[in-house]
Amino acid sequence: KQEVTQIPAALSVPEGENLVLNCSFTDSAIYNLQWFRQDPGKGLTSLLLIQSSQREQTSGRLNASLDKSSGRSTLYIAASQPGDSATYLCAVHGRTYKYIFGTGTRLKVLA
Amino acid sequence: DTAVSQTPKYLVTQMGNDKSIKCEQNLGHDTMYWYKQDSKKFLKIMFSYNNKELIINETVPNRFSPKSPDKAHLNLHINSLELGDSAVYFCASSQGTLTRPTDTQYFGPGTRLTVL
């Protein structure tokens, strides 16, 4: 059974810091992994999608990496801004043909 | 211009009532989903439809019945509502199929259901 864990559960950093969010999964047989952002009271916004054959994806200040063999993904946020404050979720699509979500990391960037 | 829309945004109702939540996507996607997000913010899939056909039906009480009149719509009907049904329900869609999930999922804004 696929389990997805995100560490840390919450993170508070001053503006301008670079930071790393972690996602680990127990079954390495995955099709892809997605990172999402969820603002309070809102839906999820997809940030980056990494296919199983890829090692990383980049979008602006965001970089996501995938190491299938070790069951890990990281989301790197460069030069964090207060507007980055949100909950970040990773979701893994695997052999059960559905997305399994992690429990999320609540990020607060202080001005 | 809304890609995935849900109505209503908020739903407050009494135990035992029957209610529906509607979802529409204008992205031309083939696959649609319903997710439940509980009070601890854990998001779990409930159902998935591909071209109006039910693909995933998780361990969900049969009081929950999805209906897909066409591939742009996936509605969720809930009978005999219980306190534990209180949650935020998200609709999502993607172009990829479940066996070829290559594409991004797009989520609706959510429906916050409160059962009193």
Side-chain angles (χ1 to χ4, degrees), chain B:
Chain B
D1 282 312
T2 304
V4 182
S5 59
Q6 295 179 229
T7 54
K9 188 167 183 180
Y10 300 97
L11 187 52
V12 181
T13 188
Q14 300 285 336
M15 273 175 51
N17 284 350
D18 303 338
K19 290 293 179 186
S20 292
I21 306 172
K22 296 186 176 181
C23 177
E24 176 181 3
Q25 54 95 2
N26 62 5
L27 298 166
H29 288 165
D30 292 328
T31 307
M32 295 184 72
Y33 313 81
W34 276 110
Y35 288 88
K36 179 179 180 180
Q37 188 171 44
D38 61 25
S39 57
K40 295 182 180 177
K41 306 299 183 186
F42 186 63
L43 200 65
K44 188 172 180 183
I45 192 166
M46 300 172 68
F47 301 103
S48 177
Y49 270 71
N50 178 258
N51 278 318
K52 303 195 308 176
E53 182 182 348
L54 181 64
I55 301 297
I56 285 179
N57 184 350
E58 283 295 284
T59 310
V60 175
N62 57 16
R63 298 181 295 103
F64 289 79
S65 53
K67 284 189 172 52
S68 182
D70 55 63
K71 76 174 195 179
H73 295 84
L74 180 61
N75 303 323
L76 183 65
H77 188 76
I78 316 170
N79 289 326
S80 303
L81 278 156
E82 300 177 357
L83 293 176
D85 298 332
S86 295
V88 181
Y89 292 85
F90 287 101
C91 177
S93 73
S94 67
Q95 183 55 44
T97 64
L98 287 173
T99 53
R100 296 172 62 87
T102 55
D103 292 327
T104 299
Q105 286 201 6
Y106 293 83
F107 279 74
T111 296
R112 182 175 294 277
L113 171 65
T114 302
V115 182
L116 303 175

Side-chain angles (χ1 to χ4, degrees), chain A:
Chain A
K1 180 186 170 186
Q2 179 73 275
E3 292 183 3
V4 182
T5 306
Q6 291 185 244
I7 294 174
L11 184 61
S12 187
V13 299
E15 183 177 7
E17 266 201 19
N18 301 325
L19 54 100
V20 175
L21 308 181
N22 297 293
C23 173
S24 60
F25 46 96
T26 55
D27 186 348
S28 62
I30 66 171
Y31 287 108
N32 63 46
L33 182 146
Q34 266 191 267
W35 281 94
F36 291 89
R37 167 187 173 137
Q38 184 175 24
D39 292 284
K42 301 284 177 64
L44 280 69
T45 302
S46 180
L47 298 172
L48 290 164
L49 170 68
I50 310 178
Q51 305 295 348
S52 62
S53 58
Q54 297 173 324
R55 298 280 296 182
E56 65 177 343
Q57 283 283 349
T58 298
S59 176
R61 294 182 294 108
L62 305 179
N63 176 277
S65 67
L66 175 64
D67 183 344
K68 265 196 345 176
S69 59
S70 66
R72 291 183 183 178
S73 176
T74 61
L75 178 67
Y76 175 81
I77 303 177
S80 58
Q81 303 170 358
D84 295 330
S85 298
T87 296
Y88 290 81
L89 295 160
C90 72
V92 172
H93 199 297
R95 66 176 87 227
T96 58
Y97 304 122
K98 61 189 178 188
Y99 276 100
I100 306 294
F101 278 80
T103 46
T105 294
R106 287 191 316 280
L107 172 65
K108 187 167 186 178
V109 180
L110 306 169

